[in-house]
Amino acid sequence: APWHLMMSLIPSRGCLLDLPWEDILVPHILCHLPLQQLLSLQRVSKSFQSLIQLYLANMRCFDSSQIGPAIPRAAFVNLLKDNEVLQQLALQNCSDWLTDRELLPVIGQNHHLHQIQLKGCAQLSRHALVAISLSCPNLRQLSLAHCEWVDSLSLRSLADHCKALEAVDLTACRQLKDEAVCYLVQKCSRLKSLSLAVNANVGDVAVEEIAKCCPELEHLDLTGCLRVKNDSIRVLAEYCPKLRSLKVKHCHNVAESSLSILRSRGVELDVEPPLQRALVLLQDVVGFAPFINLQI
């Protein structure tokens, strides 16, 4: 609907472009159009090209998935070359080509970023995380899932400079060990959400430090953290009264004896109680088991 409205407002004499660009067109009309359509609009005329460039320079949120299944490298560089006011940056469909060379200029000129999504951007390096830490002091949310280039030194830089972090996703950042995670949570005590999933190097030391340093913690993902055991889960239950969800699937050393404490508080867990789990397995085998005496 916004696109058709826009097209209906483009008479031959160009009345639409006579409206104030920065006061009317950019904040009240263009902001309602999908980014992909805005880029197509650039081809209407040189005046529209200038208008869209102004919009891009004042854009607060950039999500590469809005452009389509893939965004060309040159297009990405051109889209953000004049922008210094970004607050949210999500780069999800450019992992095939995105390197430090393309990302660092964007990070370096945008000091108001509070949300960055780099999930799966495997061709970046630790320099990208250092640049983020130095340029984005107001960062609140950061996803580095499946970024195996994240190491302890770059994570320390993040912890030293971005102490307002509230949500960090370090899923499958396999270089990280307990020491690095401990340093992060010691410096970033406002964390509400943290994922350390699929990291076999993370164990009880890190989980206990998370519990003691992050009293605001609401969501913790430890999926596949094989070294995590019952003791640290009990510490988590003791020190994190605001915890709402915990994922411990495939943590084979975590048992119901520790999870029951959290379960009784209404914390959402991704593993079922032993009896219910057994019934589900039995139902899968025999189809249905109404004959079982649950009091046995």
Side-chain angles (χ1 to χ4, degrees):
W3 175 252
H4 294 300
L5 172 63
M6 189 83 170
M7 291 298 96
S8 68
L9 293 174
I10 307 179
S12 57
R13 63 181 182 273
C15 291
L16 178 67
L17 295 177
D18 291 338
L19 294 172
W21 287 15
E22 294 190 41
D23 296 330
I24 301 296
L25 294 183
V26 169
H28 297 295
I29 296 181
L30 298 187
C31 64
H32 296 293
L33 296 176
L35 184 57
Q36 192 170 23
Q37 293 183 350
L38 286 174
L39 299 181
S40 299
L41 196 59
Q42 289 186 104
R43 297 194 288 268
V44 173
S45 69
K46 288 185 177 180
S47 294
F48 270 101
Q49 184 178 13
S50 299
L51 173 61
I52 301 307
Q53 287 298 320
L54 176 65
Y55 172 82
L56 293 173
N58 288 277
M59 189 167 47
R60 299 295 197 273
C61 175
F62 179 81
D63 185 344
S64 61
S65 65
Q66 294 181 2
I67 299 178
I71 173 175
R73 182 198 313 255
F76 169 79
V77 172
N78 185 61
L79 288 174
L80 297 179
K81 61 182 174 55
D82 298 321
N83 193 305
E84 299 179 358
V85 295
L86 275 180
Q87 296 179 3
Q88 300 178 40
L89 178 64
L91 303 176
Q92 302 172 34
N93 297 331
C94 41
S95 58
D96 290 342
W97 54 263
L98 184 69
T99 68
D100 293 353
R101 182 177 180 179
E102 293 79 32
L103 181 63
L104 293 188
V106 176
I107 297 298
Q109 66 193 32
N110 283 282
H111 304 292
H112 304 289
L113 281 164
H114 59 75
Q115 183 175 334
I116 299 177
Q117 162 69 264
L118 296 175
K119 180 179 179 180
C121 293
Q123 297 192 52
L124 298 174
S125 78
R126 59 184 301 272
H127 299 295
L129 187 52
V130 172
I132 289 171
S133 65
L134 296 177
S135 297
C136 308
N138 300 314
L139 195 63
R140 297 289 190 279
Q141 300 180 34
L142 176 63
S143 175
L144 298 168
H146 302 281
C147 294
E148 297 195 22
W149 45 265
V150 176
D151 61 9
S152 59
L153 288 177
S154 57
L155 194 69
R156 287 174 73 94
S157 179
L158 179 73
D160 284 335
H161 297 95
C162 300
K163 298 180 181 180
L165 278 167
E166 295 179 355
V168 180
D169 189 346
L170 298 172
T171 298
C173 292
R174 294 187 176 90
Q175 289 195 57
L176 301 179
K177 299 181 180 179
D178 283 348
E179 181 183 6
V181 176
C182 290
Y183 192 88
L184 173 69
V185 298
Q186 288 165 3
K187 297 286 185 176
C188 302
S189 58
R190 300 183 194 177
L191 280 174
K192 296 181 179 180
S193 177
L194 177 63
S195 175
L196 300 170
V198 199
N199 192 330
N201 294 318
V202 170
D204 284 342
V205 172
V207 176
E208 290 183 16
E209 197 68 16
I210 292 167
K212 294 175 182 178
C213 293
C214 303
E216 302 297 316
L217 191 69
E218 297 179 2
H219 306 284
L220 180 61
D221 189 346
L222 300 173
T223 304
C225 293
L226 304 178
R227 295 175 57 229
V228 174
K229 301 181 181 66
N230 278 326
D231 289 346
S232 62
I233 300 301
R234 292 193 184 96
V235 175
L236 194 69
E238 179 181 355
Y239 283 88
C240 296
K242 296 184 180 181
L243 192 67
R244 293 167 53 192
S245 71
L246 173 66
K247 294 183 178 181
V248 288
K249 188 172 288 186
H250 307 303
C251 295
H252 305 303
N253 295 312
V254 174
E256 185 64 20
S257 58
S258 60
L259 293 178
S260 60
I261 305 170
L262 294 168
R263 204 183 298 280
S264 66
R265 279 174 25 195
V267 175
E268 181 183 344
L269 302 173
D270 63 342
V271 293
E272 300 291 345
L275 177 59
Q276 186 170 349
R277 190 159 59 242
L279 288 176
V280 170
L281 291 174
L282 184 59
Q283 183 174 339
D284 289 341
V285 174
V286 301
F288 187 63
F291 52 83
I292 295 178
N293 184 351
L294 298 181
Q295 296 181 350
I296 294 178

